[in-house]
Amino acid sequence: MSARRKGDISYQVVRSRRATADIIIERNGQVLVRAPESIPDERIEDMIEAKRYWIYQNLAEWRDLNATRVLREYRNGEGFLYLGRSYRLMLVSEQSEPLLLKNGRFCLRRDLVDEGAIEAAKAAFREYYINRGIERITQRVNYYAPKVGVVPRDVDIRELGNRWASCSPNGNLAFHWKCIMAPQTIVDYIVVHELCHFYYLDHTDAFWNEVDKVIPSYRERKEWLRVNGAGLDV
């Protein structure tokens, strides 16, 4: 990945074995150009210039969406998401596990907050989502892989920065731990999206055709993720 600038637009370039180039706005507001290895730098600069108005529009929209980002506090009654549903937080004193979901509430060990170590409380949520995600998302991958007609090798749940998921050339799938905060229908969309990348690495019409075969309502789910994705955080 290399950092570039064209006038007032800063962007990153990622080259791969893909056939075509495109421009996306990452979830952190970064402009990313995904390009074939053979495309010259001048062509990429021409793309940025040609898409300048589109980039301005999408960055403005990104700022509007992220203005409503939810800042959660680790106190009794705060809501935390799991599979699209909000569960109230309850701080507890006696509990062996750092975090449990029981009786309709997220029960977090009080000492993680009392010590002022908010990072420890966040880590407890991340670990919880990773553990639940391994089970739930692997199950959905196993369900949808035959429908897509592919055979993935491995499924991992981890921190992926600004990506919801990734598909490696050797067939390994990785999903951001935040995915498990979304409703099941959105999790399914993300799973099918990545499985279809086994056929196409880019987002051409042919790729979306494959997604449409399995999830005809993918446009609504894609839009939900675009609008609500900033709220999937701890």
Side-chain angles (χ1 to χ4, degrees), residues 12 18 28 40 68 72-73 81 90 104 112 121 133 143 153 160 176 196 215 217 220:
Q12 298 279 344
R18 61 189 293 126
N28 64 348
T68 58
R72 293 184 169 87
E73 297 183 18
L81 295 169
M90 183 168 68
L112 297 178
Y143 175 78
R153 291 183 57 188
L160 284 178
H176 201 300
C196 289
I215 300 182
S217 62
E220 290 85 351

Side-chain angles (χ1 to χ4, degrees), residues 117-146:
I118 297 302
E119 276 307 313
K122 288 186 176 184
F125 270 94
R126 284 195 295 268
E127 190 67 22
Y128 182 89
Y129 291 135
I130 287 171
N131 291 335
R132 294 301 177 278
I134 284 286
E135 179 182 353
R136 176 68 67 134
I137 293 178
T138 299
Q139 178 189 67
R140 303 313 286 170
V141 167
N142 291 338
Y143 175 78
Y144 279 109

Side-chain angles (χ1 to χ4, degrees), residues 6 9 26 35-36 53 60 63 77 99 101 112 114 119 121 126 134 142 144 162 165 199 213 226 231:
K6 175 69 173 175
I9 298 177
E26 292 271 50
Y53 182 64
R63 284 189 287 271
L99 178 70
L101 179 56
L112 297 178
D114 286 348
E119 276 307 313
R126 284 195 295 268
I134 284 286
N142 291 338
Y144 279 109
N162 299 307
Y199 294 119
K213 290 176 185 176
R226 185 187 70 82

Side-chain angles (χ1 to χ4, degrees), residues 69-88:
R69 180 184 293 274
V70 177
L71 297 177
R72 293 184 169 87
E73 297 183 18
Y74 292 82
R75 62 183 182 185
N76 284 321
E78 182 66 276
F80 287 82
L81 295 169
Y82 176 62
L83 288 176
R85 180 180 168 186
S86 181
Y87 294 89
R88 297 298 180 189

Side-chain angles (χ1 to χ4, degrees), residues 44-197:
I44 294 176
E45 289 187 7
D46 290 344
M47 279 182 59
I48 291 292
E49 192 59 45
K51 289 277 193 176
R52 177 174 293 274
Y53 182 64
W54 179 90
I55 292 170
Y56 287 157
Q57 278 187 315
N58 280 267
L59 285 177
E61 185 177 78
W62 175 85
R63 284 189 287 271
D64 288 344
L65 292 175
N66 279 270
T68 58
R69 180 184 293 274
V70 177
L71 297 177
R72 293 184 169 87
E73 297 183 18
Y74 292 82
R75 62 183 182 185
N76 284 321
E78 182 66 276
F80 287 82
L81 295 169
Y82 176 62
L83 288 176
R85 180 180 168 186
S86 181
Y87 294 89
R88 297 298 180 189
L89 182 67
M90 183 168 68
L91 301 178
V92 297
S93 298
E94 296 181 5
Q95 183 172 280
S96 57
E97 298 292 325
L99 178 70
L100 291 174
L101 179 56
K102 60 182 182 180
N103 301 324
R105 286 184 178 268
F106 269 121
C107 299
L108 178 70
R109 267 204 346 241
R110 184 182 296 276
D111 61 288
L112 297 178
V113 178
D114 286 348
E115 293 171 2
I118 297 302
E119 276 307 313
K122 288 186 176 184
F125 270 94
R126 284 195 295 268
E127 190 67 22
Y128 182 89
Y129 291 135
I130 287 171
N131 291 335
R132 294 301 177 278
I134 284 286
E135 179 182 353
R136 176 68 67 134
I137 293 178
T138 299
Q139 178 189 67
R140 303 313 286 170
V141 167
N142 291 338
Y143 175 78
Y144 279 109
K147 296 180 181 299
V148 177
V150 298
V151 182
R153 291 183 57 188
D154 190 35
V155 178
D156 190 22
I157 312 297
R158 62 175 187 263
E159 172 65 49
L160 284 178
N162 299 307
R163 294 172 181 252
W164 289 114
S166 67
C167 173
S168 74
N170 60 1
N172 291 328
L173 297 173
F175 296 88
H176 201 300
W177 56 265
K178 294 179 182 179
C179 290
I180 204 66
M181 301 176 75
Q184 184 66 64
T185 55
I186 307 304
V187 174
D188 287 353
Y189 160 70
I190 296 171
V191 166
V192 171
H193 183 118
E194 290 310 310
L195 290 172
C196 289
H197 275 313

Side-chain angles (χ1 to χ4, degrees), residues 189 208 217-227:
Y189 160 70
W208 292 114
S217 62
Y218 79 86
R219 291 176 184 83
E220 290 85 351
R221 304 188 195 195
K222 179 184 177 186
E223 178 65 7
W224 188 97
L225 194 58
R226 185 187 70 82
V227 172

